[in-house]
């Protein structure tokens, strides 16, 4: 029988919810590219419940224990003596979420001889050392598309929040003020601006589609070009690289995975080539942006605003400079973990586990590493160090 080790973020500080703001979530059966939403044989949760925290257990306990497997769920993931490290040596499966990542480093993978499968309950498997997973024959899978639209909506929200100066204006209300001039002295319309995405995969394309009606000029760069009809429909300008694109933009959104080609991409040099007063939104991964270079660019005014929900490390320490830098709209890593998204990635995690236990192939679109190589979606979108 297998030990399944699942690392989830802690429950709300006031305890696991007894009731919810809404009684249901819309049922999404498929995605923009025709891919179907997860199709497990069943689920043991009600969509709309909090599944991503420890007590939610991704709704997996009944299913796994029914098959005789052991499920360990913890949020204790840091340091040699963490519950995660204590259970890792005999775990067959590790499940983790990018929001509260259990970093599966090469050292940790070496200490887990039984490990066969690392599941990302969500999208983005950069918390797993993919080279080490390849070397040790560990399969890495994620629930592709499960929260792509969730993130795209968050990106659009953050672009509008920054450009229109929403958060500081809201703060004036909380503080009892009516300071219109203070609010509007940094407030603009998005209409007419140039907006570019670094990567036009599932999230990047969803962002482009949602922004098109705002009357903006849309730009993108990606390793693979979008079909000509999509470029035409959205009136997209393609650029060969981020370096070529960003000088042409007022707003830049980052939607690429973190891998050797994207780590540290937004450094002092690239930021200095952007238009003065550009807004930068990064919901992809914190390490794609150089932490201190972002602070410098905000302080100098080179960036007019920075927002996102991804940091390094996660959780971000209390003294992380992005908490206090000027003109930011940061949140904890939440964009892909709405209750709506949780229902999909919990079901997708169950689907991947069912494939593993029944010996049926995991959908190629879920695979990042398999059979000792990048595979499926991973072969398309990731790179390795070697
Ligand atoms: P996709 O795999 O659909 O898209 C990623 C795109 O990035 C692909 O089109 C890929 O290109 C492109 N890409 C990869 N490397 C580069 C590069 N060096 N330069 C330009 N483009 C590049 O993934 P999603 O859109 O679903 O997700 C993207 C990322 O967003 C995830 O990897 C994750 O890090 C992050 N994410 C964040 C979430 C959150 O809650 N904040 C939730 C979900 C995801 P191609 O394949 O054409 O080679």
């Amino acid at each position: 029988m297998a030990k399944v080790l699942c690392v989830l973020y802690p429950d709300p500080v006031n305890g696991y919810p007894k009731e919810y703001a809404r009684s249901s979530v819309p049922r999404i059966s498929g995605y923009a590219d025709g891919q179907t939403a997860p199709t497990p044989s069943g689920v043991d949760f009600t969509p709309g419940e909090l599944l991503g925290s420890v007590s939610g257990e991704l709704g997996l306990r009944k299913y796994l224990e029914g098959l005789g497997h052991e499920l360990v769920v913890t949020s204790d993931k840091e340091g040699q003596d963490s519950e995660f490290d204590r259970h890792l040596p005999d775990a067959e499966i590790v499940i983790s979420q990018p929001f509260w990542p259990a970093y599966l480093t090469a050292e940790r993978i070496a200490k887990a001889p039984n490990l066969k499968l690392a599941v990302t309950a969500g999208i983005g498997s950069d918390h797993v050392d993919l080279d080490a997973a390849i070397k040790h024959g560990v399969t890495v899978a994620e629930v592709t598309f499960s929260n792509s639209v969730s993130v795209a909506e968050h990106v659009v929200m953050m672009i509008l929040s920054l450009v229109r100066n929403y958060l500081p204006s809201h703060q004036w209300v909380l503080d009892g003020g009516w300071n219109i001039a203070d609010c509007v002295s940094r407030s603009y319309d998005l209409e007419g601006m140039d907006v570019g995405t670094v990567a036009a995969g599932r999230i990047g394309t969803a962002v482009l589609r949602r922004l098109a009606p705002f009357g903006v000029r849309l730009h993108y760069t990606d390793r693979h070009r979008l079909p000509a009809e999509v470029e035409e429909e959205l009136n997209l300008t393609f650029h060969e690289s981020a370096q070529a694109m960003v000088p042409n933009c007022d707003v830049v959104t980052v939607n690429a995975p973190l891998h050797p080609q994207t780590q540290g991409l937004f450094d002092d040099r690239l930021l200095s080539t952007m238009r003065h007063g550009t807004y930068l939104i990064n919901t992809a991964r914190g390490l794609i942006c150089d932490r201190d270079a972002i602070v410098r660019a905000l302080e100098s005014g080179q960036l007019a605003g920075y927002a996102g929900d991804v940091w390094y490390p996660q959780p971000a320490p209390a003294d992380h400079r992005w908490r206090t830098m000027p003109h930011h709209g940061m949140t904890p890593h939440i964009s892909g973990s709405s209750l709506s998204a949780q229902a999909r990635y919990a079901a997708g995690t169950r689907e991947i586990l069912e494939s593993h236990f029944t010996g049926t192939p995991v959908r190629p679109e879920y695979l990042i590493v398999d059979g000792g190589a990048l595979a499926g979606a991973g072969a398309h979108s990731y790179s390795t160090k070697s």
Side-chain angles (χ1 to χ4, degrees):
M1 288 299 114
K3 175 182 272 194
V4 181
L5 177 54
C6 182
V7 179
L8 301 177
Y9 46 79
D11 283 350
V13 287
N14 292 325
Y16 192 74
K18 294 188 177 60
E19 55 184 28
Y20 292 90
R22 296 182 56 79
S23 51
S24 66
V25 291
R27 192 170 170 276
I28 308 293
S29 56
Y31 307 120
D33 66 354
Q35 183 186 317
T36 54
T39 51
S41 63
V43 295
D44 299 309
F45 59 81
T46 304
E49 288 174 347
L50 178 61
L51 301 166
S53 75
V54 168
S55 295
E57 300 183 323
L58 295 175
L60 292 173
R61 185 167 295 281
K62 189 172 167 203
Y63 161 68
L64 287 170
E65 291 186 348
L67 293 175
H69 303 304
E70 180 187 358
L71 174 65
V72 176
V73 183
T74 181
S75 61
D76 180 21
K77 68 186 181 78
E78 304 298 345
Q80 301 260 329
D81 202 31
S82 65
E83 200 172 347
F84 176 62
D85 279 81
R86 284 203 301 278
H87 285 284
L88 189 58
D90 54 352
E92 178 172 320
I93 299 172
V94 166
I95 303 170
S96 174
Q97 298 179 106
F99 323 105
W100 188 263
Y103 294 105
L104 263 179
T105 58
E107 296 72 37
R108 277 175 157 165
I109 290 178
K111 284 187 204 153
N114 295 333
L115 186 62
K116 293 197 175 76
L117 175 65
V119 184
T120 302
I123 301 173
S125 298
D126 50 276
H127 59 281
V128 181
D129 186 315
L130 299 183
D131 293 80
I134 286 169
K135 188 167 152 217
H136 288 84
V138 175
T139 295
V140 181
E142 61 185 47
V143 192
T144 307
F145 233 135
S146 58
N147 55 13
S148 304
V149 170
S150 322
V151 179
E153 291 186 1
H154 207 84
V155 171
V156 174
M157 174 187 81
M158 286 184 151
I159 291 175
L160 289 168
S161 306
L162 288 185
V163 172
R164 302 204 57 89
N165 206 34
Y166 168 55
L167 291 171
S169 307
H170 181 59
Q171 190 61 48
W172 279 115
V173 170
L174 297 178
D175 294 344
W178 189 259
N179 302 50
I180 295 173
D182 292 276
C183 299
V184 300
S185 57
R186 288 188 71 88
S187 175
Y188 298 89
D189 291 352
L190 182 61
E191 184 178 29
M193 289 192 177
D194 288 277
V195 184
T197 175
V198 176
R202 294 169 182 84
I203 296 173
T205 305
V207 170
L208 291 168
R209 284 196 179 286
R210 280 154 184 74
L211 287 176
F214 280 86
V216 292
R217 285 183 296 279
L218 292 171
H219 304 252
Y220 81 101
T221 181
D222 196 285
R223 299 191 307 187
H224 298 84
R225 210 157 162 170
L226 289 167
E229 57 270 24
V230 177
E231 288 193 355
E232 200 174 318
E233 179 198 343
L234 300 175
N235 198 15
L236 303 179
T237 303
F238 173 74
H239 301 266
E240 288 292 341
S241 63
Q243 287 76 6
M245 184 186 79
V246 301
N248 299 290
C249 296
D250 304 296
V251 179
V252 172
T253 153
V254 188
N255 298 297
L258 173 65
H259 60 115
Q261 287 173 4
T262 56
Q263 181 154 351
L265 178 64
F266 282 84
D267 57 8
D268 285 308
R269 217 170 63 170
L270 187 63
L271 290 165
S272 73
T273 67
M274 298 170 91
R275 290 180 182 165
H276 183 79
T278 298
Y279 302 91
L280 181 58
I281 287 80
N282 176 16
T283 52
R285 285 296 178 262
L287 284 177
I288 295 176
C289 294
D290 177 325
R291 184 193 62 188
D292 296 342
I294 295 297
V295 178
R296 283 190 286 274
L298 286 167
E299 287 174 348
S300 72
Q302 177 62 7
L303 285 181
Y306 182 91
D309 65 334
V310 285
W311 311 64
Y312 186 81
Q314 290 189 180
D319 62 354
H320 195 293
R321 296 185 71 192
W322 287 3
R323 290 184 188 268
T324 50
M325 63 190 179
H327 311 304
H328 81 80
M330 295 298 295
T331 64
H333 193 164
I334 57 165
S335 64
S337 197
S338 59
L339 294 175
S340 323
Q342 289 175 39
R344 291 188 294 275
Y345 67 67
T349 301
R350 164 105 177 233
E351 181 185 329
I352 292 167
L353 294 176
E354 287 180 2
S355 299
H356 176 78
F357 289 125
T358 57
T360 49
V362 173
R363 293 192 204 194
E365 61 260 36
Y366 289 170
L367 286 174
I368 303 299
V369 168
D370 194 37
L374 288 175
H380 194 77
S381 296
Y382 282 81
S383 65
T384 53
K385 290 180 207 113
S386 43

